[in-house]
Amino acid sequence: MAETKLTVAGADPQQLVEMTQYQQGSVVSRTLLQDESGTLTVFSFDEGQALSEHTVPYNAFIQVLDGQAEITIGGKPSLVNAGEIVLMPGGISHKVRAVKRFKMLLTMFKTKVA
């Protein structure tokens, strides 16, 4: 069994939006949990910053914590605002761009999609 990497105190309430800070012209990430079942990562994007189009074999959820992002899945762009969540199905290309500065929680489940 693989080791679980945890970077937050267990059982203590945490403010997700405070776990990464904005940096001008950058994307900042902090992995909160990583093991064989998946990852939980908080990101901060400065306005205009992006993750280029890519595909992974796993389902992933984005929960926007602050700001606004354009998330393109399978060529279809959607604006996603604070408080909203979107599923990025495994095996389908996706990309993320900050329309405004934004923060997100990425939850990836490492279960291959059929």
Side-chain angles (χ1 to χ4, degrees):
M1 181 175 202
E3 179 181 338
T4 297
K5 296 178 185 174
L6 183 66
T7 65
V8 294
D12 291 333
Q14 304 288 321
Q15 288 289 327
L16 283 172
V17 76
E18 300 298 326
M19 293 187 156
T20 62
Q21 301 305 314
Y22 291 114
Q23 290 185 12
Q24 187 172 0
S26 298
V27 175
V28 178
S29 67
R30 177 179 177 194
T31 301
L32 305 178
L33 176 100
Q34 181 175 2
D35 65 18
E36 72 275 355
S37 65
T39 60
L40 191 61
T41 308
V42 180
F43 288 83
S44 297
F45 289 69
D46 194 20
E47 185 174 338
Q49 296 300 304
L51 296 179
S52 61
E53 188 169 16
H54 62 283
T55 303
V56 296
Y58 311 113
N59 289 323
F61 280 95
I62 287 179
Q63 178 183 359
V64 176
L65 305 171
D66 183 44
Q68 183 181 62
E70 180 183 75
I71 300 174
T72 303
I73 302 169
K76 180 185 173 209
S78 296
L79 287 179
V80 186
N81 297 290
E84 296 181 327
I85 189 169
V86 65
L87 169 66
M88 299 184 303
I92 298 179
S93 66
H94 56 271
K95 62 183 176 180
V96 177
R97 183 180 63 85
V99 174
K100 300 177 182 176
R101 291 184 348 162
F102 90 102
K103 294 182 181 183
M104 71 178 196
L105 175 66
L106 175 69
T107 305
M108 186 175 352
F109 303 96
K110 290 189 176 179
T111 302
K112 290 199 178 184
V113 181

